[in-house]
Amino acid sequence: MIRVDEKGFYGKFGGAYIPEMLHPNIEELRENYEQIMATDSFQTEFRSLLKDYVGRPTPLYFASRLSEKYDAKIYLKREDLCHTGAHKVNNTVGQIIMAKRLGKKRIIAETGAGQHGVATATVCALMGMECTVYMGALDIQRQRPNVERMKILGAKVVAATSGSQTLKDATNEAMRQWINNPVDTHYIIGSVVGPHPYPEMVARFQSVISEEIKWQLKEKEGRENPDLVIACVGGGSNAAGAFYHYYNTPEVRLIAAEAAGLGVSSGKSAATTALGTPGILHGSKTLLMQTEDGQVVEPHSISAGLDYPGIGPVHAHLFDTGRGEFVAVEDEDAMKAGIELSRLEGIIPAIETAHALHALNMVEYQKDDVIVINLSGRGDKDLDTYIKWGGY
């Protein structure tokens, strides 16, 4: 069975490895989040906002031309059609309601590709709460449209200038800020990473994705279960959402596409399951890329959202147990897959999602298998990267 235990572990991965000063925050959240989520009033507000504000349910679209090319029945779960352009808003809506009910006045967040930052700034504007988003200086340069969106929404964007100046460093800065402001501040973590209860809480907010896939596929194919579900994984929130209701359905293959960057062995990669070993990263035990003496190895991906040296503990457990199948997709192949979808289906995907699309070339399946690919975000934020890569 794939499930979290009371201490926040999925098998050998998870837990809460945090500074003493953060214990009150984490304990407050751990002791209250399930009780709050279970109330009718929370569920009514959450579901109402998902429907009327986020735009759920998102379509499960049969990609006929993609299906013809790959000789399978390929459905795209259209999270790119969510308000703000990605799945991230499912989680921020849930967490802002949680923060409000815990009496918090101020929100902080980290972001890589900028989509979680935009989604956090969006719900803070909706609820009238102060918002500060930490973002790597490199990511600020390559995801400029999302930086401007955050500012227009009223958020303060703070550059992380240490290390590789990407998602890992933004997370470090956000954690430091939370330690210094423990009483009135809630940290909206954007992925299934961090100390317990964040990985499970975020996965539960994102599980609306697989909840919808089940009934949508029943309508379209007369069955709730696809043969394969494919999603990209950095920290892994979109994958956790797409996999959640299939964790304990072994006949459904769970395919996770990581970023191989310039190649798994190139020294410029973010393929955690290929290169990582167990260790502590951002408050939980998981798989991460590190040196023999435990120093984090700087990751690389052309995709800002996958440029992270670890994966969420639930994904580490899926890999460790063999329940999940992990493939490492190089930059060049991801970019080609993004252009292919654009020209076959008229959908420009986020480069993160493009990694999942290329996985079709890396896994074996049977003719006419039903495959669901989680289209985690749209490519608006990545247009500059597409243009520079393709010379358009």
Side-chain angles (χ1 to χ4, degrees):
M1 290 283 287
I2 306 293
R3 63 184 179 190
V4 69
D5 69 19
E6 62 182 19
K7 293 185 178 180
F9 281 86
Y10 306 86
K12 65 182 75 165
F13 300 104
Y17 298 82
I18 51 175
E20 190 66 32
M21 289 180 68
L22 279 184
H23 271 281
N25 300 54
I26 293 297
E27 282 301 298
E28 179 186 33
L29 188 60
R30 186 186 64 79
E31 290 173 2
N32 290 289
Y33 93 98
E34 287 191 282
Q35 182 179 341
I36 291 171
M37 281 181 71
T39 63
D40 289 342
S41 60
F42 180 95
Q43 287 297 321
T44 297
E45 186 174 5
F46 180 52
R47 295 287 175 172
S48 176
L49 284 172
L50 288 182
K51 178 176 182 288
D52 298 326
Y53 190 69
V54 174
R56 303 203 71 89
T58 58
L60 185 67
Y61 166 68
F62 177 65
S64 59
R65 296 189 68 206
L66 198 67
S67 295
E68 184 179 358
K69 172 167 183 179
Y70 287 96
D71 211 14
K73 292 182 178 179
I74 300 174
Y75 287 89
L76 305 178
K77 182 56 172 161
R78 296 293 307 277
E79 294 301 291
D80 58 310
L81 295 180
C82 288
H83 179 44
T84 73
H87 70 289
K88 292 292 188 181
V89 72
N90 304 322
N91 170 52
T92 61
V93 164
Q95 286 208 50
I96 198 75
I97 301 170
M98 186 72 65
K100 187 173 64 172
R101 293 181 183 222
L102 290 171
K104 304 303 180 182
K105 306 298 183 187
R106 181 171 173 268
I107 299 296
I108 58 173
E110 87 299 328
T111 196
Q115 286 301 134
H116 174 60
V118 170
T120 301
T122 296
V123 296
C124 286
L126 177 68
M127 297 293 184
M129 294 181 75
E130 179 186 338
C131 179
T132 302
V133 178
Y134 294 87
M135 190 172 187
L138 176 61
D139 290 339
I140 286 175
Q141 293 174 20
R142 61 182 175 176
Q143 303 282 249
R144 177 60 60 181
N146 277 343
V147 176
E148 300 307 326
R149 291 168 75 193
M150 285 182 264
K151 290 179 179 178
I152 289 170
L153 289 161
K156 180 182 179 183
V157 181
V158 178
T161 57
S162 61
S164 61
Q165 302 181 20
T166 57
L167 180 58
K168 166 184 69 70
D169 313 292
T171 305
N172 290 342
E173 291 297 330
M175 286 276 192
R176 277 193 282 269
Q177 179 62 214
W178 199 24
I179 289 171
N180 292 329
N181 297 275
V183 177
D184 67 340
T185 299
H186 177 70
Y187 179 12
I188 297 185
I189 292 180
S191 197
V192 287
V193 300
H196 178 62
Y198 277 103
E200 179 65 11
M201 182 174 68
V202 174
R204 286 177 64 178
F205 287 140
Q206 293 293 358
S207 71
V208 65
I209 299 171
S210 52
E211 177 185 310
E212 290 175 4
I213 290 171
K214 288 175 77 75
W215 65 258
Q216 289 173 322
L217 205 58
K218 180 75 170 176
E219 286 184 350
K220 294 176 182 295
E221 292 286 336
R223 53 192 273 198
E224 290 188 340
N225 298 340
D227 296 294
L228 293 83
V229 180
I230 305 176
C232 63
V233 171
S237 63
N238 91 90
F243 295 167
Y244 195 89
H245 289 284
Y246 297 115
Y247 282 158
N248 298 307
T249 309
E251 59 268 30
V252 179
R253 293 168 62 194
L254 307 179
I255 313 294
E258 293 186 294
L262 301 183
V264 171
S265 302
S266 68
K268 294 284 186 179
S269 178
T272 299
T273 58
L275 299 169
T277 53
I280 309 300
L281 180 65
H282 296 141
S284 67
K285 183 180 181 182
T286 189
L287 291 174
L288 67 143
M289 301 190 324
Q290 58 185 330
T291 62
E292 288 185 4
D293 60 351
Q295 299 301 307
V296 174
V297 172
E298 299 294 352
H300 164 81
S301 171
I302 197 168
S303 163
L306 303 183
D307 201 349
Y308 188 68
I311 52 175
V314 66
H315 295 302
H317 182 55
L318 291 172
F319 174 75
D320 186 56
T321 59
R323 177 66 187 96
E325 301 172 46
F326 287 72
V327 297
V329 179
E330 295 186 10
D331 289 348
E332 189 79 1
D333 290 328
M335 298 302 291
K336 289 177 182 176
I339 296 299
E340 178 178 78
L341 184 71
S342 303
R343 296 186 176 174
L344 285 178
E345 298 289 348
I347 300 169
I348 305 173
I351 297 173
E352 288 83 1
T353 298
H355 287 71
L357 292 160
H358 180 72
L360 288 167
N361 300 287
M362 302 180 73
V363 297
E364 294 184 0
Y365 52 85
Q366 302 299 311
K367 177 180 169 61
D368 293 330
D369 269 359
V370 174
I371 300 173
V372 175
I373 302 176
N374 195 37
L375 211 68
S376 57
R378 56 178 173 253
D380 303 24
K381 67 185 180 59
D382 294 319
L383 290 182
D384 281 350
T385 305
Y386 274 121
I387 290 165
K388 289 174 183 174
W389 175 81
Y392 302 112

